Amino acid sequence: MIQTNHHSFKYILYLLITVISWGIMYPCSKHAVLSGIDGYYLTLLRYGFGAILVSLVLILVEGKQKYKTEGHGGLLWLLGTVGFAGLNFFTFIGIGYSTAEHATIILALMPMLSIMLSSLIERRLPTLKTCLCTLFAFFGIVLVITNGDIKHIATSNRYIGDLLLLIATMCWVIYTYFANQFITKYHWSPLRITALSSSLGAVSIITITLFATYYQLAKVPSLNAINTSLIDIFVLVSTTLVIITWNAGIKGLGAINGTLFVNLVPVISFIIGIYQGHSIFKMEMIGAIMTIAALILNNLVIRQQPNKT
């Protein structure tokens, strides 16, 4: 289990701040989409302002000399494009077809996807127990997505949204893995990697949004839609700062310990959904419990293996 000594407590706090913010973020993004801001412009608003906000924090905390790529501009741009453009476009477009609760359950697959990515890159097969946990978690996700009605999986746009949310989660897994490698290799602070990768990722977000608008895939939101979603936009922009606490927490506790905290996101989102009057069906709840249980079990299995951090 995670040792809760004084040194690790701050990293636990960082990750708790992150997952609570994410749990709030998804209901806000769903409300903004329903209010008339499509996924493209919601992403643009979030990271147009968010990248500026994080960059200002970097300059104030570490100095303007740290706001330099030091020859890693291409890598940081690719990382930011996958992590910020990929995550947010697929999330905000997908959540328009799906629900906030589904989004957070799919996000909870992050630990399993992280293991799969690490195994692929490092060319080592996961254990049989991990494979079984993965299958169990996947079955739980299927129950959440279909509400136990698998035969109708191809008859609703909701499943398209869930697929996009799964792709979004994979984008964030890729970002997390390589951002952590970047921090370890070049000894950059989590704040610096967040600011530079989000700034360069914002360039891709602006470009993609302009092309989508030109080809009528995206629509400039009305002033009424923006006014209706001002609180949602404020929350979404503010939560860009928790990427700093996410990277810091992962750096301090490691990927295995850190990604386990993602299991709290759907719990928070479900509580908010119930408070807002959303109906949570029995099969969705069973699937959510199965998925979270499989993720926790796999984390415990990994801790029993030698030479794992």
Side-chain angles (χ1 to χ4, degrees):
M1 300 301 291
I2 301 172
Q3 297 180 358
T4 55
N5 54 43
H6 178 72
H7 180 70
S8 63
F9 179 77
K10 67 176 181 179
Y11 300 118
I12 294 173
L13 182 60
Y14 290 155
L15 291 169
L16 285 175
I17 291 172
T18 303
V19 297
I20 290 172
S21 298
W22 283 348
I24 297 170
M25 179 192 76
Y26 284 99
C28 286
S29 62
K30 179 65 176 181
H31 180 263
V33 170
L34 291 176
S35 297
I37 305 179
D38 64 35
Y40 292 98
Y41 276 92
L42 193 56
T43 300
L44 179 62
L45 286 169
R46 185 187 187 199
Y47 274 101
F49 291 109
I52 295 172
L53 181 60
V54 177
S55 296
L56 287 175
V57 173
L58 172 65
I59 293 172
L60 290 172
V61 173
E62 297 187 14
K64 62 181 181 181
Q65 71 277 5
K66 295 294 184 179
Y67 198 69
K68 296 179 181 179
T69 63
E70 296 182 1
H72 306 300
L75 179 59
L76 288 165
W77 169 78
L78 183 60
L79 195 61
T81 298
V82 172
F84 299 106
L87 168 70
N88 286 274
F89 280 132
F90 287 122
T91 293
F92 294 148
I93 294 172
I95 208 169
Y97 297 102
S98 186
T99 68
E101 292 78 20
H102 282 204
T104 54
I105 287 293
I106 293 171
L107 179 70
L109 281 176
M110 187 185 297
M112 289 297 192
L113 294 174
S114 296
I115 292 169
M116 293 170 62
L117 179 65
S118 298
S119 299
L120 180 64
I121 293 175
E122 298 168 14
R123 297 183 180 181
R124 55 177 175 81
L125 292 175
T127 65
L128 177 60
K129 290 180 180 178
T130 291
C131 291
L132 291 175
C133 287
T134 301
L135 289 175
F136 195 67
F138 177 76
F139 185 68
I141 286 292
V142 171
L143 284 181
V144 171
I145 292 174
T146 65
N147 195 24
D149 194 7
I150 299 177
K151 66 181 181 179
H152 292 150
I153 194 168
T155 63
S156 172
N157 286 337
R158 191 183 72 185
Y159 306 116
I160 297 175
D162 290 330
L163 177 60
L164 293 176
L165 291 168
L166 180 60
I167 295 172
T169 302
M170 194 65 227
C171 286
W172 190 246
V173 167
I174 293 171
Y175 173 84
T176 298
Y177 180 88
F178 286 102
N180 191 45
Q181 294 292 315
F182 206 96
I183 291 170
T184 303
K185 183 176 180 180
Y186 300 115
H187 306 292
W188 284 16
S189 69
L191 173 56
R192 188 179 185 187
I193 185 67
T194 302
L196 287 169
S197 59
S198 64
S199 296
L200 291 170
V203 175
S204 296
I205 289 171
I206 293 170
T207 303
I208 293 170
T209 302
L210 289 176
F211 271 98
T213 303
Y214 180 78
Y215 288 105
Q216 299 183 340
L217 298 172
K219 182 180 179 181
V220 179
S222 66
L223 289 177
N224 181 59
I226 293 176
N227 287 332
T228 303
S229 306
L230 279 178
I231 295 178
D232 303 311
I233 294 170
F234 174 78
V235 171
L236 291 172
V237 172
S238 299
T239 54
T240 59
L241 289 174
V242 303
I243 299 168
I244 302 169
T245 58
W246 170 255
N247 285 332
I250 292 295
K251 179 184 178 182
L253 295 182
I256 294 174
N257 288 329
T259 54
L260 183 63
F261 282 77
V262 177
N263 297 323
L264 294 174
V265 177
V267 176
I268 296 166
S269 187
F270 268 67
I271 291 173
I272 294 174
I274 293 171
Y275 175 77
Q276 293 176 333
H278 298 174
S279 297
I280 307 298
F281 297 102
K282 180 179 178 181
M283 294 304 295
E284 287 182 307
M285 187 61 68
I286 292 173
I289 293 171
M290 287 176 60
T291 300
I292 294 173
L295 297 173
I296 294 175
L297 179 61
N298 185 67
N299 186 274
L300 296 175
V301 167
I302 290 175
R303 293 174 191 282
Q304 295 174 357
Q305 298 173 12
N307 301 320
K308 294 288 181 187
T309 57

